[in-house]
Amino acid sequence: MKQTWRWYGPNDPVNLADIKQAGVEGIVTALHHVAPGDVWTPTEIEKRKAEIAVLPDGTPSGLRWDVVESVFISDDIKARIGDWRAQLDNYKQTLRNLATADIRVVAYHTMPVLDWTRTDLKWKHQNTGLALRFDYVEMAAFDIHILKRSGAVDSYPEEIVEQAAAHFSAMSDGQKISLTNNLTAGLPGSAEGWTLQEFSERLAIWDGIDADQLRQNHIDFLSEVVPLAEEIGIRMACHPDDPPFAILGLPRIMSTARDFQSMFDAVDLPANGMTLCTGSLGSRPDNDLPQMARQFGPRIHFAHLRNVRRETDGIPCSFYEDDHLSGSTNMVRVIQALVGEETRRKMAGKTVTTIPMRADHGHELLSDIGGGGNPGYTAIGRLRGLAELRGVMMACEETLT
């Protein structure tokens, strides 16, 4: 597996020299300053490639841009509102420009409004590091008592509504502000969040659009985009929902093995693939990650390897980011399946045999604590996770050899 690292660009506190020391072979990044729906121009793409190629001291990095994460699908395209058609044309032009620049893997997701969502960005883990955590009761408290979304009470079981009311009553003003900021932070890599009013307005776009409609819109999107991707040599990697269940009244359509199989059946081309994210999918007890890695092997174009610990076996549930080899998913068996898929590709004479991976999300550890890095993307926690995963990968590869 090709070891990569997510980099947020020149303003990322983890610079390319730090990344080089981690021993990775490639970079995962995006043009975060380009708004969803706008074209990624050849000039901006080449500028980012040039930035990746040079270390801070001016020497060559030996790194290349391997995976785009992400070319976001705008909410206008997902909901088919506004000037979605022009934005879809822009999306296709962006893919052409990336292919011309020889960047072949494009990750994206189908989640409306938000990317991954956590209620706590600095939860104290048992190892005393700081972790990301999703607390279902806190989410309900925000939704019902802070955001005051219409119909929010009806979205939760009665016992969760009661617990949320008690939790909200006990919260300090500072805790309420922190929770609000965590949930309205916008997209990863963005320096801007939303006010509660702006957030409510974005949610309102989705009133009356259910999962069935979003799923059909997504299939229509793929029906236009995937044939183009197939033609120009781009592999599309759909990321699962995070968390993989409905929140804030928003529909979710990529949360289970059945969801992904339906997507592949609807647009049955090799370019129509997935990002296997063990953390997102692992937040549901009905997702068998080693089995999914085997079932969808030929469609796995990218892998996020991280582990979450589910605090209950319900759906939805609370969970936190655990150590990469701990948590509720057997990471060794997942990696065995992925390495096995690479071996299958080699034996079949496939042109693309390697699956790029990255150690996703890490704890805030040691000198990174309080250092101001992107939540989940500080250096030392990911470095530890990558070292652990690298050992498992090498052992699996040696065993198969």
Side-chain angles (χ1 to χ4, degrees), residues 36 55 69 97 104 109 128 143 194 207 250 278 280 333 359 378 381:
L55 296 177
E69 187 173 1
N97 294 343
R104 299 296 172 182
H109 69 77
T128 74
D143 195 8
W194 301 311
D207 290 346
L250 297 169
T278 54
S280 298
R333 293 183 181 178
T378 50

Side-chain angles (χ1 to χ4, degrees), residues 19-307:
I19 295 170
K20 186 73 173 177
Q21 291 176 23
V24 301
E25 304 160 289
I27 294 296
V28 176
T29 192
L31 302 184
H32 299 288
H33 58 286
V34 179
D38 290 349
V39 174
W40 292 19
T41 66
T43 299
E44 289 296 316
I45 292 169
E46 290 300 327
K47 179 182 177 183
R48 178 53 53 87
K49 286 180 66 178
E51 291 165 344
I52 291 169
V54 181
L55 296 177
D57 65 2
T59 60
S61 70
L63 300 170
R64 75 181 302 276
W65 188 355
D66 283 316
V67 180
V68 174
E69 187 173 1
S70 301
V71 180
F72 286 111
I73 308 171
S74 70
D75 273 12
D76 285 356
I77 295 174
K78 292 173 186 172
R80 299 225 154 188
I81 59 174
D83 61 349
W84 69 270
R85 168 52 66 182
Q87 293 181 39
L88 179 55
D89 290 340
N90 289 348
Y91 197 100
K92 292 191 283 189
Q93 186 58 49
T94 292
L95 294 185
R96 295 186 186 97
N97 294 343
L98 288 167
T100 299
D102 196 29
I103 301 168
R104 299 296 172 182
V105 180
V106 173
Y108 71 96
H109 69 77
T110 64
M111 292 175 282
V113 182
L114 296 167
D115 196 285
W116 57 265
T117 302
R118 300 293 184 271
T119 56
D120 195 337
L121 305 182
K122 294 183 180 293
W123 180 76
K124 191 169 184 179
H125 189 270
Q126 296 93 314
N127 65 16
T128 74
L130 304 180
L132 304 175
R133 182 170 182 265
F134 178 88
D135 187 304
Y136 187 42
V137 171
E138 281 198 326
M139 171 58 77
F142 168 79
D143 195 8
I144 298 169
H145 300 286
I146 298 177
L147 184 63
K148 299 180 180 178
R149 179 174 63 88
S150 177
V153 172
D154 298 328
S155 301
Y156 302 92
E158 184 177 346
E159 64 270 20
I160 296 297
V161 172
E162 293 173 357
Q163 292 174 40
H167 183 80
F168 178 76
S169 296
M171 292 175 72
S172 67
D173 289 342
Q175 289 172 324
K176 294 173 185 175
I177 291 171
S178 178
L179 178 60
T180 300
N181 290 341
N182 291 345
L183 292 172
T184 60
L187 298 172
S190 172
E192 299 178 359
W194 301 311
T195 66
L196 278 178
Q197 179 61 36
E198 291 169 337
F199 192 56
S200 294
E201 291 169 357
R202 286 178 175 267
L203 293 177
I205 292 172
W206 294 91
D207 290 346
I209 301 178
D210 61 11
D212 289 340
Q213 185 62 60
L214 177 58
R215 187 175 292 105
Q216 186 58 55
N217 290 353
H218 181 53
I219 291 171
D220 291 343
F221 166 82
L222 293 177
S223 296
E224 291 200 43
V225 168
V226 172
L228 170 65
E230 190 83 18
E231 175 187 341
I232 62 180
I234 291 280
R235 300 186 294 283
M236 301 293 293
C238 183
H239 190 284
D241 301 324
D242 188 6
F245 40 76
I247 59 171
L248 301 170
L250 297 169
R252 294 295 211 217
I253 61 169
M254 300 306 299
S255 298
T256 66
R258 178 178 295 180
D259 291 334
F260 277 94
Q261 188 61 61
S262 295
M263 181 183 77
F264 299 145
D265 290 343
V267 183
D268 190 11
L269 290 170
N272 184 22
M274 72 183 298
T275 298
L276 181 73
C277 181
T278 54
S280 298
L281 294 167
S283 304
R284 287 179 66 112
D286 55 346
N287 283 332
D288 182 335
L289 269 299
Q291 172 58 27
M292 291 179 75
R294 292 188 293 269
Q295 177 181 350
F296 300 128
R299 299 296 186 112
I300 297 173
H301 298 326
F302 185 33
H304 289 177
L305 300 184
R306 62 182 174 89
N307 224 326

Side-chain angles (χ1 to χ4, degrees), residues 376-397:
Y377 289 94
T378 50
I380 298 172
R382 284 187 290 166
L383 183 64
R384 174 188 168 179
L386 179 59
E388 294 173 343
L389 296 169
R390 179 181 291 146
V392 174
M393 287 188 292
M394 291 182 67
C396 291
E397 290 164 0

Side-chain angles (χ1 to χ4, degrees), residues 136 282-285 309-319 328:
Y136 187 42
S283 304
R284 287 179 66 112
R309 176 74 65 178
R310 297 188 300 271
E311 297 178 30
T312 65
D313 277 333
I315 304 172
C317 69
S318 299
F319 60 87
S328 298

